[in-house]
Amino acid sequence: IYTTLKISSSDLLTWHIEKKSLDARKKPNLFYVYTIAANVQNEKRIIKKNRNKNITIKEENDSYHCTPTGTHVLTYRPVVIGTGPAGLFCGYALARMGYRPILLERGASMEERQKDVQDFWKTGKLNPESNVQFGEGGAGTFSDGKLNTMIKDTSGRIRCMLETFVEFGADPSILYINKPHIGTDVLGNVVSSIRKHIIELGGEIRFNCKITDILTIEENSY
């Protein structure tokens, strides 16, 4: 950093890796490409001195956070069906806002699900409600925990998701590695940690609860 920016150690305040990717275009020579975010003294002077290099001033954006947007007070606790990635993060967001959500999952908890999956791989005995497809964490839990998206993160939601994974036990490198993955051996513990935090915040998760129909009742029918 010092050499690239032509600065002294006293000019560099803080720095971190924004992105890391592998350039394999000139095989067999492989190169890692890094994007570094640095906080420096006298940044305008440094930018001017390095104007011919790929260096820019980064605009700091507010981190993404969920905010209530409804106009009515909830009469009942919100119910989330399924604890796959969408359901789990929905429950987490609702719990953080104090709504004490109820999450319903047809399969088993992560701990029980891991036992059922291991039993299937060893014996071929399938539990139709708790397996690689069904259970806490969703189908992707046993696919090496890959994290990949083809959309630009203009709102910061993806960054917020990755930071949440790190908060609950994932390796911090997923914040900057290109096409990151958590790893199946780690993801199970991350998922169960998020669930435990939802419960700590007043939420409730009911496993082995399969939704087969939804009945609606008119308010004036009571």
Side-chain angles (χ1 to χ4, degrees):
I1 297 176
Y2 303 122
T3 303
T4 301
L5 297 180
K6 300 177 182 178
I7 60 176
S8 65
S9 58
S10 60
D11 288 324
L12 182 62
L13 302 177
T14 60
W15 69 277
H16 66 269
I17 300 174
E18 285 273 308
K19 186 178 180 180
K20 175 184 176 182
S21 58
L22 181 65
D23 187 346
R25 291 176 296 178
K26 298 180 180 180
K27 297 177 181 178
N29 297 318
L30 306 179
F31 302 92
Y32 281 114
V33 179
Y34 289 87
T35 300
I36 304 295
N39 183 19
V40 298
Q41 303 267 25
N42 304 311
E43 64 178 19
K44 291 183 178 180
R45 175 179 60 82
I46 293 172
I47 287 290
K48 184 177 181 180
K49 185 167 58 175
N50 295 278
R51 65 175 57 185
N52 294 326
K53 296 181 179 179
N54 191 20
I55 300 172
T56 59
I57 296 179
K58 179 183 176 183
E59 297 293 334
E60 291 294 337
N61 298 320
D62 293 333
S63 59
Y64 176 82
H65 59 277
C66 294
T67 56
T69 57
T71 58
H72 300 283
V73 177
L74 292 181
T75 304
Y76 305 101
R77 296 166 65 183
V79 176
V80 179
I81 300 176
T83 59
L88 193 66
F89 272 84
C90 180
Y92 174 67
L94 289 168
R96 290 190 63 185
M97 289 187 284
Y99 287 112
R100 300 170 57 245
I102 299 173
L103 282 68
L104 306 179
E105 169 57 52
R106 69 179 290 179
S109 67
M110 180 55 61
E111 293 83 358
E112 291 300 317
R113 185 185 179 197
Q114 287 175 325
K115 294 178 182 178
D116 293 332
V117 171
Q118 289 294 332
D119 187 49
F120 171 72
W121 285 338
K122 291 179 180 179
T123 67
K125 180 181 178 182
L126 175 67
N127 182 335
E129 301 299 335
S130 178
N131 47 59
V132 171
Q133 292 293 320
F134 302 125
E136 184 181 25
T141 308
F142 292 91
S143 63
D144 201 31
K146 294 180 179 65
L147 306 171
N148 188 22
T149 177
M150 300 304 292
I151 63 174
K152 294 183 178 180
D153 188 23
T154 56
S155 67
R157 287 180 294 180
I158 298 173
R159 177 74 182 188
C160 179
M161 177 198 71
L162 296 177
E163 290 174 346
T164 301
F165 279 130
V166 172
E167 178 184 353
F168 289 99
D171 192 287
S173 64
I174 68 171
L175 296 175
Y176 58 81
I177 290 180
N178 189 37
K179 296 183 179 180
H181 70 275
I182 296 178
T184 298
D185 55 332
V186 176
L187 185 56
N189 293 330
V190 173
V191 169
S192 62
S193 294
I194 295 176
R195 175 238 303 166
K196 292 173 183 176
H197 190 60
I198 292 174
I199 295 173
E200 290 173 355
L201 294 175
E204 182 180 345
I205 301 183
R206 302 178 185 178
F207 295 109
N208 303 304
C209 289
K210 183 178 180 180
I211 304 300
T212 58
D213 198 3
I214 298 178
L215 303 179
T216 59
I217 302 176
E218 297 289 341
E219 292 186 5
N220 57 11
S221 66
Y222 287 100

